[in-house]
Amino acid sequence: MLIRDVVVTPVAFRDPPLLNAAGVHEPWALRTIVEVVTDEGLTGLGETYGDLGHLAKMRTAARSLIGLDPFHRNAVYTAVAASVGADVVTDAHGLTGASTREKTVDRVFSPFEVACLDILGKAAGRPVADLLGGKVRDAVPYSAYLFYKWAGHPGAPDDAFGAALDPAGIVEQARLFTGRYGFRSIKLKGGVFPPAQEIEAVQALREAFPEHPLRLDPNAAWSVETSIEVGRALDGVLEYLEDPAEGIDGMAAVAPRVPMPLATNMCVVTPEHIPPAIRQGAVGVLLLDHHYWGGLVKSSHITTLCSTFGIELSMHSNSHLGISLAAMTHLAAATPAVTHACDTHLPWQDGQDVVAPGVLRFVDGAVPVPDGPGLGVELDRDALAVMSEQYEKCGVRSRDDTSYMKSIDPSFSPRRPRW
Ligand code: GKR
Ligand code: MG
């Protein structure tokens, strides 16, 4: 079997004004959809970031895959690495940690690897979870991912979610998400208001949801001292505290002084970060993300390594669509070490998707693992065409939460630490 064609399509979809330490989400979020087609007529799907620098790398890499065998992931990785060369692609928003050359290659490789696994699954008539060792759970639990937010983008009508700018608004948002999807864990994106206000919001969540594990993630907006104060104030309330302080050094200074484990998707984001993080005892939970940890197989290997060192696993997300949700679900379903509910932004997309409806759904806060061959999802070509046209027209070419926020509030600064 040989790869005959690779189609790379950037798409844009509406995104609410979600607030974070870097600023605020723009009205359009970007993704790139990958279709890998074989000479036997099988098509595999992948999904990744849409920022222009990354998209350019995706397009170059796509050309280098023609003629390769989708079974040969080593050859595919080598071709991607050669096409990336020595370049390092960075994110403007800075919310997923430092960029390195290895992380750049892993990010470009990931959607092609997922598409190849989709093809192999289709060829074998088996779900991708089977290619990763088989399901250890029939459904993958996700958390309600809460954000402070405005009622709508400035100058636009209010969106379907309403404003959430204080503890009562956050509790109301949690009720909406848990009511609609049945989530049994809750994560609050922090780093937006002074820590005392965010502590109050978490305490309000604890009161309203006494049984739900809770997490708080300020994206390294706090100093070491502030992180320790917040961690101690939330003793017994948080399942884990996510990226309170910057870098492995900052996290290692906080970890032994707070009562709960620290989690990260910022200071350990590529294999070369693992040895120093372990040496320094910086993290208790790694938020895995196959989009930058080199695809599903490499991510699965990373979980084995982490388990050896006593690091627990959960999963990180960014604004995404259904191909990513399907891939995350197969990976988490086939990975025993992912024991915490995974993050997903999908509810914020409010039904916009490139996959045909019907397969992916939340039941009691968990996504049942698709049981069709491969990822088990199909492209909705009409939806893809609409989102591709939205990309052409929307004018956004790279996610930039900070510039958008500054256009609304010129005094805003994304400096870290902010408190
Ligand atoms: O969507 O604003 C966002 C999040 O802040 C995202 O960009 C982060 O990468 O969800 C992520 C996180 O857990 O830090
Ligand atoms: Mg995070």
Side-chain angles (χ1 to χ4, degrees):
M1 196 191 308
L2 297 177
I3 296 173
R4 198 194 57 202
D5 195 15
V6 182
V7 185
V8 171
T9 311
V11 297
F13 45 94
R14 282 177 302 285
D15 206 19
L18 307 181
L19 298 161
N20 59 36
V24 57
H25 286 210
E26 295 163 272
W28 296 99
L30 309 180
R31 293 296 267 182
T32 299
I33 306 303
V34 167
E35 296 167 76
V36 174
V37 186
T38 71
D39 57 350
E40 296 178 6
L42 291 172
T43 298
L45 302 176
E47 177 185 333
T48 180
Y49 310 94
D51 289 1
L52 205 55
H54 178 65
L55 177 62
K57 292 284 172 221
M58 291 290 303
R59 287 186 159 135
T60 312
R63 287 192 288 275
S64 71
L65 305 185
I66 308 297
L68 297 181
D69 183 335
F71 275 91
H72 293 168
R73 51 187 298 289
N74 290 331
V76 172
Y77 192 88
T78 303
V80 169
S83 77
V84 168
D87 295 350
V88 174
V89 177
T90 52
D91 293 320
H93 53 77
L95 292 170
T96 47
S99 290
T100 64
R101 198 251 170 188
E102 181 172 8
K103 186 180 174 196
T104 303
V105 175
D106 282 352
R107 275 170 34 137
V108 176
F109 171 69
S110 173
F112 298 122
E113 186 248 21
V114 171
C116 288
L117 289 172
D118 191 20
I119 288 168
L120 303 192
K122 284 174 177 164
R126 307 293 287 256
V128 163
D130 278 2
L131 306 180
L132 301 172
K135 293 189 288 190
V136 294
R137 44 185 78 91
D138 291 328
V140 171
Y142 286 87
S143 60
Y145 195 166
L146 311 182
F147 281 79
Y148 289 106
K149 70 178 286 296
W150 301 323
H153 285 281
D158 290 357
D159 59 42
F161 300 100
L165 295 164
D166 55 20
I170 288 295
V171 169
E172 199 181 322
Q173 192 183 90
R175 290 199 197 289
L176 178 75
F177 274 39
T178 54
R180 199 176 280 176
Y181 302 100
F183 293 121
R184 290 174 176 178
S185 296
I186 298 175
K187 162 171 170 169
L188 174 61
K189 172 61 54 176
V192 174
F193 292 113
Q197 289 182 38
E198 298 188 352
I199 291 172
E200 218 184 299
V202 173
Q203 284 164 339
L205 285 170
R206 171 47 73 237
E207 211 165 295
F209 297 90
E211 305 297 333
H212 285 56
L214 303 177
R215 309 135 184 205
L216 175 61
D217 173 16
N219 283 114
W222 304 334
S223 67
V224 166
E225 293 67 34
T226 303
S227 302
I228 294 168
E229 278 167 30
V230 176
R232 290 180 178 171
L234 291 174
D235 187 6
V237 182
L238 290 183
E239 171 190 23
Y240 54 70
L241 179 57
E242 189 174 321
D243 286 310
E246 185 92 46
I248 291 172
D249 290 349
M251 294 281 277
V254 176
R257 295 178 183 83
V258 294
M260 69 284 289
L262 300 188
T264 190
N265 62 271
M266 294 181 75
C267 72
V268 182
V269 292
T270 185
E272 62 213 79
H273 295 152
I274 294 176
I278 288 172
R279 259 196 316 273
Q280 294 179 237
V283 296
V285 181
L286 179 70
L287 307 180
L288 196 65
D289 186 331
H290 75 271
H291 301 92
Y292 58 77
W293 280 96
L296 302 182
V297 173
K298 190 163 176 179
S299 293
S300 161
H301 294 170
I302 295 290
T303 69
T304 309
L305 179 66
C306 286
S307 299
T308 305
F309 290 95
I311 296 175
E312 298 177 2
L313 277 306
S314 181
M315 221 180 253
H316 161 258
S317 86
N318 269 304
S319 304
H320 68 90
L321 298 168
I323 299 171
S324 284
L325 185 68
M328 291 159 72
T329 301
H330 282 282
L331 174 61
T335 310
V338 178
T339 53
H340 298 273
C342 301
D343 292 344
T344 177
H345 282 60
L346 203 83
W348 292 111
Q349 272 49 92
D350 207 18
Q352 305 168 91
D353 211 338
V354 288
V355 301
V359 175
L360 297 172
R361 60 190 191 285
F362 291 91
V363 181
D364 297 332
V367 175
V369 185
D371 52 14
L375 291 174
V377 294
E378 294 300 331
L379 265 185
D380 175 339
R381 295 225 163 255
D382 293 338
L384 181 69
V386 168
M387 287 196 195
S388 161
E389 197 180 327
Q390 288 172 175
Y391 175 84
E392 295 308 329
K393 290 188 179 153
C394 75
V396 178
R397 286 295 173 268
S398 287
R399 177 180 170 186
D400 188 352
D401 298 18
T402 302
S403 298
Y404 182 48
M405 179 59 117
K406 280 185 169 165
S407 74
I408 298 155
D409 172 9
S411 71
F412 177 79
S413 161
R415 74 181 176 280
R416 296 199 304 243
R418 187 148 159 223
W419 290 285

